[in-house]
Amino acid sequence: LLQTEGMEPWWFFLYGKLLVRDEKIQKAERILDEISARISKGNNSDTAAFMILKGEIQLARGNSAKALDLIEAGVKLRHDNYTAESLAHYYSRTGDLDMAIARYREIIDTRKSFGWEAQEYWIKAHYILGKLYEKKGNYEQAMIYYQNFLDIWKDADNDLPDLIDAKSRLTKLKELEL
């Protein structure tokens, strides 16, 4: 499907981002080449797709300074939950928990993407915030975000890994409270 002539760079970006997160960097680089070949001059969305995917690849390769510059530049060109999540992920991955928390909270606060595909990042931001707060030792906030995540996905399939993990983490934190 991605090889069809009319496919916009943005769709390649979404696939490439998944590849990077799955540690398939060489495949993601081929997708980056495809985006480069399809960029329409002056199209901010196309340019953002290229820059952010290149930043995601740089981050995966350990080039965090270069990654941040690329991702931030891309987010300036196109700001939605797809791009904002890349920036939040950057801070989480590089260990800046406070900035990661701030960025994931922005995703939750905007709610701009609710009602279309990018709402997945809004939903998962609750789960990730739970993990970040837990990592910081702020168990009260962690429990709030885990519970919010579970409430949002109350009708989800019970075998989803993130759902299973959130339930387990919440149970353990509640036991610590006792």
Side-chain angles (χ1 to χ4, degrees):
L1 181 62
L2 290 175
Q3 296 305 319
T4 61
E5 295 238 1
M7 192 66 66
E8 294 181 24
W10 188 254
W11 296 107
F12 284 88
F13 160 72
L14 297 176
Y15 178 55
K17 185 173 174 174
L18 293 173
L19 289 171
V20 171
R21 302 288 176 86
D22 199 27
E23 299 178 6
K24 296 178 179 168
I25 307 305
Q26 289 181 334
K27 283 186 178 182
E29 287 175 331
R30 287 194 296 275
I31 295 298
L32 186 65
D33 291 342
E34 194 67 41
I35 291 172
S36 179
R38 293 172 182 265
I39 290 177
S40 296
K41 187 175 180 179
N43 184 312
N44 285 351
S45 183
D46 290 358
T47 305
F50 178 82
M51 295 178 91
I52 296 170
L53 182 56
K54 188 171 184 175
E56 290 259 356
I57 291 168
Q58 291 297 317
L59 180 61
R61 293 204 178 279
N63 302 322
S64 59
K66 202 181 259 188
L68 181 60
D69 290 343
L70 287 162
I71 294 169
E72 284 183 329
V75 170
K76 286 179 184 172
L77 294 173
R78 178 179 170 151
H79 188 78
D80 58 26
N81 281 2
Y82 285 120
T83 61
E85 191 279 337
S86 287
L87 191 55
H89 174 75
Y90 167 87
Y91 287 116
S92 178
R93 178 101 186 252
T94 58
D96 190 339
L97 301 183
D98 291 331
M99 283 297 287
I101 286 169
R103 296 299 180 196
Y104 280 111
R105 287 184 65 134
E106 284 176 12
I107 291 170
I108 289 172
D109 292 343
T110 62
R111 298 191 78 158
K112 286 180 188 175
S113 293
F114 197 75
W116 68 296
E117 290 86 357
Q119 75 185 8
E120 179 183 349
Y121 288 120
W122 179 83
I123 293 167
K124 286 192 79 167
H126 294 84
Y127 168 64
I128 294 168
L129 277 166
K131 289 171 63 172
L132 290 170
Y133 277 117
E134 185 177 357
K135 195 172 190 176
K136 283 188 64 131
N138 187 336
Y139 301 140
E140 184 177 326
Q141 283 296 308
M143 288 190 296
I144 289 169
Y145 281 102
Y146 287 141
Q147 189 61 60
N148 288 345
F149 174 72
L150 294 171
D151 290 344
I152 292 165
W153 266 10
K154 65 183 177 294
D155 297 325
D157 294 341
N158 288 326
D159 61 349
L160 294 175
D162 291 344
L163 199 66
I164 293 167
D165 186 52
K167 285 178 183 177
S168 173
R169 289 173 180 271
L170 182 59
T171 299
K172 287 177 185 171
L173 290 176
K174 284 181 178 179
E175 289 172 359
L176 286 176
E177 266 193 333
L178 300 176

